[in-house]
Amino acid sequence: WISTYDTGLDVYNPSTKQFQFYSHNPKDSRSLSSNKVTSVFKDSKSNIWIATHGGGLNRAYLENGRYKFQH
C-alpha cells in the first residue's frame, strides 16, 4: 500500500507484479472517500483502514479482485 496526499492509493500485488490504483470517484459510493490519504493501517483481524483528510475513515474490502471502500 502506497498512499499519497493528492492522488489516492497504489496497491502492489506481488503475485502479478502490478499496481492497482484507487482514487475518489464522486459517482461511486464505494470508491475511496478522498484522494488525500494520511495513513494506512492493518488491524489484528487483517482489516485495512485508510484515513483521509476531508473524507474520514475508510475500510477496504475485496470484491471481484479489486478493493472497494466502506466509509
Side-chain angles (χ1 to χ4, degrees), residues 22-66:
Y22 298 93
S23 63
H24 174 65
N25 178 350
K27 295 179 182 179
D28 182 359
S29 64
R30 298 183 305 161
S31 73
L32 194 61
S33 64
S34 171
N35 288 333
K36 296 181 178 184
V37 176
T38 57
S39 60
V40 178
F41 176 75
K42 183 177 181 179
D43 69 18
S44 61
K45 295 181 182 178
S46 295
N47 291 306
I48 303 292
W49 299 92
I50 298 100
T52 67
H53 180 84
L57 188 62
N58 297 253
R59 183 181 64 84
Y61 62 95
L62 275 173
E63 184 176 286
N64 298 323
R66 288 202 39 96

Side-chain angles (χ1 to χ4, degrees), residues 5 8 11 16 21 23 25-26 29 39 42 51 53 68 70-71:
Y5 193 73
V11 179
T16 63
F21 175 70
S23 63
N25 178 350
S29 64
S39 60
K42 183 177 181 179
H53 180 84
K68 302 293 182 181
Q70 180 182 21
H71 312 143

